[in-house]
């Protein structure tokens, strides 16, 4: 279902073996940032391999509403004619970011230091998510916001006419918060400083530098101190979007739990702020190898090969690794269900405020499938039943959350009885080719 569509129930049957090559789509985080930074630059930014998922398309539409020209040339080739830092026009419509927390939070940051007003909304999932974490730091720049209780959408931001730079310590580990502050800092005179105690994905820092911003990162006892000099002239870039490790996680994990599988997932970015899942799987004893490791566009990249792994063991996933795999816990909980022993996942409070409460959304379906799941406010654990040991035979709610929907579809490939989800529509937000790609590997998933 797109933001406002009809539910698409789907069923996943025991499958496999999964064999072949899985070319997953472009990185969602980098795709959003390509469009937003392209819109804030002077000249034509060319993007190759853009993720054409609904979340990113919504961001592209928003950039047009703020005055940039966004053109789809077909085949993942896009261009953005930017309006420059401080050049955003006031949109004449409400900005609908659909399901995308990244889209809305980054865009709110990008417009908050221009003298324009904008109203933002989204689907039921996005409109229930906390936005105070963004509007609080934006208020320090001088932006005003008027939203629903707890700062939730729909909300209106009136950008600061005379923004002041900000010194801000992020209260939660969030790349979206960090990025919103940095994007706001672009149009504030002087130095904006963001301090984050735990390192989160650093695409904004890398890309801002690539677009010509003066940005430095210093590692200190307090954490990473990121200093951005305001009011640069950003220059249009040519961007090749790497394939998304968060999407790669699904064919990789499915191969680990489906008997006889051997799947190659080429060209996956292994930026250390994103790659935590793959190291966790290796520690669990997964047959997962990094082939042909290399550097591309300044990022470590490798081809991942995943094979059926009947002897995985539960581990304690270090809490300090959480930020580098925050989107991968739902699919990790599926792998953990087929391992021997307990997988403990501490330090994951942020999972409660994603597109859904991801601990709750996974715990419900796993318990119904016969798996023991324990949980607290900021931790959960899964007691595995070993290879082939999960019963299944349930209908799970995807709760407007693409990663929950895809995780359950992977579960069904290895359970004794099929898994149904009430709505596979949200998958299109981040991985529109999921069904075809998995079918080509040998998965048996179909709309019901
Ligand atoms: C993202 C940051 C993360 C992640 C999301 C993408 C980004 O969110 O969950 O899918 O592109 O900055 P938080 O910043 O809320 O952790």
């Amino acid at each position: 279902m797109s933001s406002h569509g009809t539910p698409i129930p789907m069923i996943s049957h025991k499958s496999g073996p999964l064999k072949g090559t899985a070319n997953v789509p472009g990185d969602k985080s980098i795709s959003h940032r390509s469009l937003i930074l392209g819109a804030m630059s002077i000249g034509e930014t060319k993007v190759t391999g853009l993720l054409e998922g609904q979340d990113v398309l919504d961001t592209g539409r928003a950039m047009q509403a703020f005055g940039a020209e966004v053109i789809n040339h077909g085949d993942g080739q896009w261009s953005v004619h930017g309006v420059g830092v401080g050049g955003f026009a006031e949109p004449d419509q409400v900005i609908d970011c659909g399901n995308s927390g990244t889209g809305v939070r980054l865009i709110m940051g990008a417009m908050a230091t221009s003298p324009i007003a904008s109203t933002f909304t989204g689907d039921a999932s996005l409109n229930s998510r906390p936005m105070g974490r963004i509007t609080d730091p934006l208020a320090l720049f001088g932006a005003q916001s008027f939203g629903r209780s707890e700062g939730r959408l729909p909300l209106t931001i009136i950008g600061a006419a005379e923004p002041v730079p900000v010194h801000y310590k992020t209260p939660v580990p969030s790349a979206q918060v960090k990025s919103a502050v940095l994007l706001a800092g672009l149009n504030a005179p002087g130095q904006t400083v963001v301090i984050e105690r735990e390192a989160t994905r650093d695409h904004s820092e890398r890309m801002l530098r690539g677009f010509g911003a003066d940005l430095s990162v210093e590692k200190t006892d307090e954490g990473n101190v990121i200093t951005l000099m305001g009011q640069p002239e950003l220059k249009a870039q040519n961007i090749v979007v790497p394939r998304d490790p968060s999407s790669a996680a699904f064919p990789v994990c499915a191969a680990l739990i489906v008997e006889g599988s051997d799947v190659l997932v080429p060209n996956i970015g292994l930026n250390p702020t994103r790659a935590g899942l793959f190291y966790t799987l290796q520690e669990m004893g997964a047959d997962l190898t990094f082939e042909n490791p290399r550097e591309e566009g300044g990022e470590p990249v490798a081809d991942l090969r995943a094979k059926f792994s009947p002897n995985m063991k539960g581990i304690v996933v270090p809490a300090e690794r959480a930020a580098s795999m925050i989107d991968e816990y739902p699919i990790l909980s599926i792998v953990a269900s087929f391992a021997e022993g307990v997988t403990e996942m501490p330090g994951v409070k942020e999972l409660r405020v994603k597109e859904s409460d991801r601990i709750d959304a996974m715990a419900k379906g796993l318990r119904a499938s016969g798996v023991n799941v324990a949980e607290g406010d900021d931790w959960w654990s899964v007691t595995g039943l070993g290879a082939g040991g999960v019963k299944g035979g349930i209908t799970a709610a995807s709760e407007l959350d693409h990663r929950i929907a895809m995780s359950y579809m992977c579960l069904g490939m290895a359970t004794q009885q099929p898994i149904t989800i009430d709505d596979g529509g949200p998958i299109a937000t981040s991985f529109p080719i999921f069904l075809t790609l998995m079918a080509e590997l040998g998965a048996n998933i179909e709309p019901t």
Side-chain angles (χ1 to χ4, degrees):
M1 185 166 75
S2 74
S3 313
H4 314 288
T6 350
I8 308 167
M10 288 180 185
I11 186 161
S12 174
H13 301 271
K14 200 168 179 61
S15 305
L18 304 176
K19 298 259 184 191
T21 300
N23 284 313
V24 303
D27 190 276
K28 181 155 74 69
S29 295
I30 295 176
S31 294
H32 281 295
R33 287 160 173 81
S34 300
L35 295 176
I36 296 170
L37 289 174
M40 298 178 88
S41 306
I42 299 293
E44 182 188 8
T45 288
K46 293 185 177 155
V47 190
T48 303
L50 188 87
L51 165 64
E52 294 175 349
Q54 192 56 47
D55 279 9
V56 175
L57 299 179
D58 287 338
T59 289
R61 241 198 323 273
M63 290 302 96
Q64 283 181 308
F66 282 101
E69 198 182 347
V70 180
I71 303 167
N72 179 3
H73 301 283
D75 242 2
Q77 308 276 341
W78 290 66
S79 58
V80 185
H81 295 263
V83 291
V85 169
F88 274 178
E90 186 169 88
D92 57 9
Q93 298 287 336
V94 171
I95 301 296
D96 187 343
C97 288
N99 189 252
S100 180
T102 307
V104 79
R105 288 173 170 149
L106 268 55
I107 296 167
M108 289 196 290
M111 61 73 60
T113 44
S114 292
I116 54 174
S118 177
T119 301
F120 297 90
T121 192
D123 68 5
S125 156
L126 188 58
N127 287 2
S128 70
R129 297 180 69 184
M131 294 297 153
R133 56 176 59 195
I134 302 295
T135 53
D136 288 353
L138 296 185
L140 304 175
F141 286 98
Q144 291 174 278
S145 64
F146 306 91
R148 293 194 301 138
S149 55
E150 296 162 42
R152 287 170 304 152
L153 303 181
L155 73 73
T156 298
I157 293 189
I158 300 176
E162 290 178 20
V164 290
V166 153
H167 196 280
Y168 193 68
K169 213 176 210 168
T170 54
V172 286
S174 166
Q176 294 173 356
V177 174
K178 169 178 67 178
S179 303
V181 176
L182 291 173
L183 291 172
L186 281 175
N187 200 34
Q191 281 186 345
T192 284
V193 179
V194 185
I195 303 171
E196 59 172 5
R197 201 160 52 83
E198 297 161 62
T200 63
R201 67 190 66 195
D202 61 357
H203 305 301
S204 296
E205 295 91 307
R206 288 172 187 255
M207 292 178 74
L208 276 164
R209 272 208 214 99
F211 274 86
D214 177 355
L215 179 145
S216 63
V217 183
E218 197 193 339
K219 291 194 188 312
T220 70
D221 292 346
E222 271 188 296
N224 284 349
V225 179
I226 304 150
T227 305
L228 171 76
M229 184 54 79
Q231 300 184 323
E233 183 176 306
L234 299 184
K235 291 184 195 63
Q237 296 297 305
N238 289 341
I239 298 171
V240 179
V241 180
R243 296 184 194 275
D244 197 326
S246 298
S247 296
F250 295 102
V252 163
C253 289
L256 300 180
I257 59 173
V258 173
E259 201 173 336
S261 298
D262 181 352
V263 170
L264 184 71
V265 192
N267 249 324
I268 300 303
L270 291 176
N271 177 320
T273 63
R274 295 289 298 281
L277 171 75
F278 304 122
Y279 299 111
T280 300
L281 294 171
Q282 287 181 327
E283 285 170 20
M284 293 172 78
D287 188 347
L288 171 64
T289 44
F290 303 143
E291 297 184 352
N292 192 15
R294 56 202 182 272
E295 282 245 327
E296 270 173 29
E299 298 262 358
V301 169
D303 306 330
L304 306 184
R305 182 174 290 281
K307 294 186 188 167
F308 176 52
S309 303
N311 299 314
M312 292 185 286
K313 304 265 180 288
I315 62 164
V316 179
V317 182
E320 59 276 14
R321 193 180 287 166
S324 70
M325 51 181 288
I326 195 66
D327 289 335
E328 282 66 76
Y329 282 93
I331 188 64
L332 175 63
S333 72
I334 301 296
V335 174
S337 304
F338 294 91
E340 301 283 349
V342 183
T343 295
E344 291 178 39
M345 297 169 279
V348 291
K349 196 168 186 180
E350 280 295 296
L351 290 183
R352 301 250 179 227
V353 290
K354 294 293 179 188
E355 285 83 333
S356 65
D357 174 340
R358 285 182 168 162
I359 297 177
D360 182 64
M362 292 311 302
K364 281 196 268 204
L366 284 175
R367 285 181 187 134
S369 300
V371 180
N372 188 3
V373 181
E375 62 180 294
D377 186 35
D378 68 344
W379 65 273
W380 56 322
S381 68
V382 171
T383 305
L385 297 169
V390 183
K391 184 165 59 67
I394 60 142
T395 297
S398 55
E399 304 197 10
L400 283 179
D401 188 328
H402 51 132
R403 299 200 199 283
I404 299 302
M406 289 186 279
S407 296
Y408 279 121
M409 292 295 86
C410 292
L411 175 65
M413 294 174 208
T415 45
Q416 295 149 17
Q417 303 294 323
I419 302 286
T420 304
I421 45 171
D422 61 347
D423 186 13
I427 293 171
T429 61
S430 71
F431 201 158
I433 59 166
F434 177 76
L435 280 196
T436 14
L437 180 143
M438 294 309 298
E440 278 166 15
L441 296 177
N444 184 358
I445 309 174
E446 55 189 357
T448 63

